[in-house]
Amino acid sequence: MIFGSKKGVPGPCPACDAPLDAAVVQQSSPTCPACGQPLVPVRVAGFWRRLLATMVDSVILLLTAGPLFYGLISVTGNPGPLRGGLGLDGVLQFLAVDPIDILLWCAPLLGMAALYFILFIALSGKTPGQKLVGIRVINRAGGPPGPWRSMLRLAGTALGLAPGGLGSLWMAFDREKRAFHDYLTGTYVVREH
């Protein structure tokens, strides 16, 4: 089991949520006094570091999946919801399009992005952006989340972004710096350095 928080104050036990104090975590091989689970100390990654990693991953996706998506649109000849161009008339026409049509049109791009995040998180626990800023995603035992947990984590991220991004924004105020998808899947984002 792991424990940690942003300011060096130990968070609760990941197994039983019992509060941990500094004396317990400073032992040579700490265990939870309530449930007896071994604890592995970590430093959790904060909001800004995680945001920077997301921005780096977005640029990588823009430079790789973006041209593939543009090529697919060119080959199929389907301009999708951008029929009116990029001017004011085009924007107004875009706003009148059914959101389901927009999602269907963006499905190949969203699929490539989902594959990117699922594979990197499942196999190594970190995307290239996360590796660059020195963070990784771990499960309660300290290893990579695995494929099923990575898929659930991505679905939880999408659900957390739906209400105006509140599912991800609450990590800025959470003691353990965990977002909705971290709680949903039992994962932590920790610093490597």
Side-chain angles (χ1 to χ4, degrees), residues 75-140:
V75 168
T76 62
N78 180 7
L82 300 176
R83 290 181 186 99
L86 297 175
L88 181 60
D89 290 339
V91 170
L92 292 175
Q93 286 179 5
F94 180 77
L95 293 174
V97 175
D98 186 22
I100 299 297
D101 290 339
I102 295 171
L103 279 176
L104 290 174
W105 182 71
C106 292
L109 182 62
L110 294 174
M112 287 183 264
L115 189 63
Y116 173 88
F117 284 104
I118 290 170
L119 286 177
F120 277 112
I121 297 294
L123 297 176
S124 67
K126 54 190 165 194
T127 62
Q130 291 170 334
K131 184 175 182 172
L132 183 69
V133 300
I135 62 177
R136 65 187 167 109
V137 179
I138 58 175
N139 59 23
R140 289 179 185 245

Side-chain angles (χ1 to χ4, degrees), residues 3-11 20-22 25-26 42-44 175:
F3 67 91
S5 70
K6 181 79 171 158
K7 302 292 183 195
V9 177
L20 302 172
D21 61 18
V25 299
Q26 291 175 356
V42 295
R43 287 183 58 205
V44 295
R175 178 182 167 145

Side-chain angles (χ1 to χ4, degrees), residues 2-14 20-22 25 40-47 50 138 171-178 183 188-191 193:
I2 63 167
F3 67 91
S5 70
K6 181 79 171 158
K7 302 292 183 195
V9 177
C13 172
L20 302 172
D21 61 18
V25 299
V40 179
V42 295
R43 287 183 58 205
V44 295
F47 176 79
R50 290 175 71 169
I138 58 175
M171 85 177 82
F173 307 102
D174 185 68
R175 178 182 167 145
E176 295 178 314
K177 301 300 178 197
R178 295 171 75 193
Y183 281 104
Y188 297 80
V189 180
V190 298
R191 294 176 65 169
H193 323 123

